[in-house]
């Protein structure tokens, strides 16, 4: 594959024939439109169902049926250790040690739990920095957190905005804002990729800047996990949370992911809200007084492993193991660049790509702002069996996920724009 694209369909066919990851497309179920599989560019909202999920769920249902309580220690995958099974794959995907990662609850719940551990406001250091226009759930979480501490969101929350007339934030401006608030800043909490613009932040430099003023750096990786490889441990990120139903294909409401840097994870004194599942295994079943957390990210587990919403993620992660996150990213960069190239061959369309041009500042998604006919274009795509997402006032988000999207899929999207608009 190369960056030299052309507008003929032969290019798409050739690229698909040369793509060593193309075989994964057959390992997913696609919704149908007029009897045909749709083209699916909505994996940034809900990933497709891997074919392996149904038998994997059946396995756990059988264990439950046949072993009942015995399933915790017997069966193919004893439930007592269910969370452990996902750690090796997730550690590779987010770039950390296995002891720094766990699965539990869902994203916003985990964001609350981790912020409660890491946000320790004092009279002088109490501000949380986030991006303006963050995903609503993140805004609600931060707003209610500061109120929980009796603080006023108007003074405790610093929202960073792009410069006037711009859509994306410059790393230099984020760092300057961190320096400006300095000693009053308790925490920086950004979405690793902004869900709307598709901008990928430089988490390493932002973490360094936060640490330079002794603030905590945490990230919501909902749009990053399974999309862009990360190095959370090496970057020194303090904590991160993500959901598993977007690029990770874990299914609706799948168990969420959590990363806690080992510096805090191994320290049983790190504050947290506890429950029996996070307690040291040696004493968990003694039912004694006194919470002793596991000396790893599992020390944040509160309740018993949620086997039935973890099994689908477990099955989905096997494909990431097989494909490799770095190879997926290499294909993803090509696919998205190809989409961008084809869009630029449509001079009659009035639109703006609000996602950064630089491949290092974006993941799979491109957000297209159509100044006119946005809704009409969206509806035509859906009618043609191409699933994309629409947000007012005219933004179509297109996310070619490399596990199940092809160059031919991207070409089909372009062809509809070319022939009908
Ligand atoms: C998808 C998404 C969520 C959803 O949170 P849930 O708790 O899983 O419903 C939250 N934040 C961001 C940034 C997201 O992209």
């Amino acid at each position: 594959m190369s960056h030299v694209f052309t507008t003929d369909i032969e290019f798409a066919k050739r690229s698909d024939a040369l793509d060593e990851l193309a075989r994964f497309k057959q390992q997913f179920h696609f919704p149908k439109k007029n009897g045909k599989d749709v083209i699916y560019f909505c994996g940034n909202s809900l990933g497709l169902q891997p074919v392996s999920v149904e038998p994997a769920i059946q396995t756990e249902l059988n264990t439950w049926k046949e072993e009942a309580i015995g399933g915790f220690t017997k069966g193919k995958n004893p439930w007592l250790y269910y969370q452990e099974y996902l750690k090796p794959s997730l550690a590779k995907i987010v770039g950390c040690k296995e002891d720094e990662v766990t699965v539990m609850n869902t994203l916003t719940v985990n964001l609350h739990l981790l912020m409660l551990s890491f946000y320790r406001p004092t009279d002088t250091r109490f501000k949380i920095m986030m991006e303006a226009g963050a995903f609503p759930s993140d805004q609600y979480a931060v707003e209610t957190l500061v109120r929980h501490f009796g603080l006023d969101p108007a003074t405790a929350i610093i929202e960073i905005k792009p410069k006037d007339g711009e859509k994306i934030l410059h790393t230099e401006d984020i760092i300057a804002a961190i320096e400006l608030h300095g000693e009053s800043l308790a925490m920086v909490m950004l979405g690793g990729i902004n869900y709307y613009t598709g901008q990928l932040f430089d988490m390493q430099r932002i973490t360094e800047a936060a640490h330079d003023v002794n603030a905590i750096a945490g990230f919501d990786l909902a749009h990053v996990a399974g999309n862009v490889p990360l190095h959370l441990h090496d970057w020194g990120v303090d904590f991160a949370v993500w959901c598993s139903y977007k690029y990770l294909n874990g299914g609706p409401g799948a168990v969420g992911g959590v990363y806690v840097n080992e510096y805090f994870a191994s320290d049983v004194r790190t504050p947290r809200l506890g429950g029996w599942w996070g307690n040291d295994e040696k004493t968990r079943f003694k039912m004694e007084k006194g919470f002793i957390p596991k000396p790893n990210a599992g020390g944040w587990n509160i309740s018993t492993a949620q086997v039935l919403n973890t099994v689908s993620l477990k099955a989905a992660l096997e494909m990431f193991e097989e494909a490799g996150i770095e190879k997926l990213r290499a294909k993803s960069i090509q696919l998205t660049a190809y989409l961008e190239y084809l869009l630029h061959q449509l001079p009659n369309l009035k639109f703006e790509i609000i996602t950064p041009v630089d491949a290092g500042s974006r993941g799979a998604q491109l957000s297209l702002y159509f100044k006119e006919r946005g809704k009409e274009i969206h509806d035509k795509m859906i009618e043609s069996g191409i699933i994309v997402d629409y947000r007012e006032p005219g933004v179509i988000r297109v996310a070619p996920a490399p596990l199940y999207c092809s160059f031919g899929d991207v070409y089909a999207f372009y062809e509809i724009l070319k022939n009908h608009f």
Side-chain angles (χ1 to χ4, degrees):
M1 285 188 276
S2 81
H3 258 307
V4 187
F5 304 121
T6 56
T7 54
D8 55 305
I9 188 158
E10 292 312 317
F11 177 86
K13 288 187 177 162
R14 214 165 44 239
S15 302
D16 284 329
L18 291 172
D19 172 16
E20 59 169 317
L21 301 179
R23 65 197 157 97
F24 287 100
K25 194 179 181 56
Q26 289 131 36
Q27 297 185 35
F28 287 90
H29 290 294
F30 287 78
K32 300 259 191 270
K33 177 88 185 181
N34 303 325
K36 267 182 58 195
D37 283 0
V38 298
I39 291 172
Y40 196 74
F41 291 137
C42 254
N44 54 345
S45 288
L46 182 75
L48 292 177
Q49 182 186 134
V51 171
S52 58
V53 160
E54 212 172 300
I57 292 179
Q58 197 56 54
T59 300
E60 301 312 334
L61 289 178
N62 288 345
T63 303
W64 182 19
K65 190 159 80 182
E66 291 157 16
E67 306 285 352
I69 187 72
F72 278 94
T73 50
K74 286 184 272 184
K76 191 156 173 257
N77 316 298
W79 301 329
L80 202 53
Y81 304 107
Y82 217 78
Q83 285 137 312
E84 303 290 314
Y85 307 145
L86 290 83
K87 283 162 54 168
S89 311
L90 284 173
K92 285 181 209 160
I93 290 170
V94 302
C96 69
K97 299 187 178 178
E98 289 182 22
D99 269 355
E100 291 176 316
V101 69
T102 189
V103 291
M104 59 193 206
N105 317 306
T106 41
L107 172 67
T108 311
V109 174
N110 290 335
L111 183 57
H112 275 299
L113 291 175
L114 272 288
M115 290 198 301
L116 279 171
S117 281
F118 284 96
Y119 181 59
R120 318 291 301 166
T122 66
D123 287 350
T124 52
R125 189 188 285 279
F126 59 91
K127 292 177 187 168
I128 301 181
M129 182 174 290
M130 63 190 304
E131 80 249 56
F135 194 86
S137 201
D138 299 34
Q139 294 189 41
Y140 304 149
V142 175
E143 176 195 331
T144 53
L145 176 77
V146 302
R147 285 193 200 282
H148 170 85
F149 283 98
L151 297 168
D152 179 1
T155 49
I157 303 175
I158 309 297
E159 288 195 331
I160 40 175
K161 293 190 184 65
K163 289 198 170 78
D164 280 347
E166 295 188 16
K167 296 276 194 308
I168 60 173
L169 283 158
H170 301 283
T171 307
E172 284 65 30
D173 295 341
I174 300 174
I175 291 172
I178 291 171
E179 285 167 357
L180 177 70
H181 292 281
E183 294 297 303
S184 67
L185 195 61
M187 180 189 291
V188 177
M189 207 295 290
L190 296 178
I193 286 182
N194 180 278
Y195 80 101
Y196 189 73
T197 63
Q199 178 179 10
L200 169 68
F201 293 111
D202 187 334
M203 288 176 249
Q204 180 172 17
R205 288 185 59 201
I206 292 167
T207 298
E208 282 164 10
H211 289 174
D212 283 347
V213 299
N214 293 316
I216 290 289
F219 295 96
D220 178 338
L221 304 175
H223 283 261
V224 193
N227 178 12
V228 179
L230 295 155
H231 302 281
L232 297 179
H233 176 86
D234 289 346
W235 297 341
V237 170
D238 296 304
F239 76 89
V241 290
W242 58 93
C243 58
S244 306
Y245 49 79
K246 292 173 179 165
Y247 291 95
L248 291 175
N249 309 313
V255 71
V258 165
Y259 154 89
V260 184
N261 189 283
E262 72 175 346
Y263 178 80
F264 299 104
S266 64
D267 186 348
V268 296
R269 294 164 305 179
T270 304
R272 75 197 72 195
L273 298 183
W276 74 324
W277 223 252
N279 199 81
D280 190 352
E281 273 179 44
K282 292 194 279 300
T283 54
R284 183 196 285 164
F285 289 103
K286 289 193 177 153
M287 307 295 186
E288 284 172 349
K289 238 186 178 16
F291 175 64
I292 305 163
K294 292 178 193 162
N296 54 51
W300 272 261
N301 295 159
I302 295 179
S303 294
T304 173
Q306 297 153 277
V307 173
L308 293 180
N309 78 356
T310 305
V311 55
S312 47
L313 175 62
K314 179 176 173 297
L317 288 177
E318 284 164 16
M319 250 181 291
F320 282 86
E321 278 287 313
E322 225 188 297
I325 187 75
E326 294 293 344
K327 278 193 182 161
L328 282 166
R329 173 64 169 156
K331 174 177 173 184
S332 175
I333 288 173
Q334 290 286 326
L335 265 185
T336 300
Y338 179 51
L339 170 64
E340 183 180 43
Y341 163 82
L342 289 177
L343 284 164
H344 286 311
Q345 315 309 311
L346 296 164
N348 297 332
L349 267 189
K350 289 205 182 62
F351 74 99
E352 184 190 337
I353 301 179
I354 61 179
T355 307
V357 175
D358 166 31
S361 301
R362 68 186 186 199
Q365 170 186 332
L366 288 186
S367 302
L368 317 177
Y369 171 42
F370 290 92
K371 290 169 191 99
E372 48 196 51
R373 304 178 78 188
K375 190 76 186 80
E376 209 187 313
I377 292 172
H378 171 261
D379 294 349
K380 178 73 190 169
M381 290 295 168
I382 300 293
E383 185 197 308
S384 315
I386 300 182
I387 312 299
V388 289
D389 163 290
Y390 181 78
R391 303 264 163 161
E392 290 298 345
V395 172
I396 294 182
R397 297 184 304 161
V398 190
L403 265 177
Y404 51 72
C405 295
S406 66
F407 290 83
D409 292 349
V410 170
Y411 190 84
F413 178 83
Y414 157 75
E415 225 179 4
I416 289 182
L417 290 176
K418 184 175 75 146
N419 295 343
H420 299 276
F421 295 95

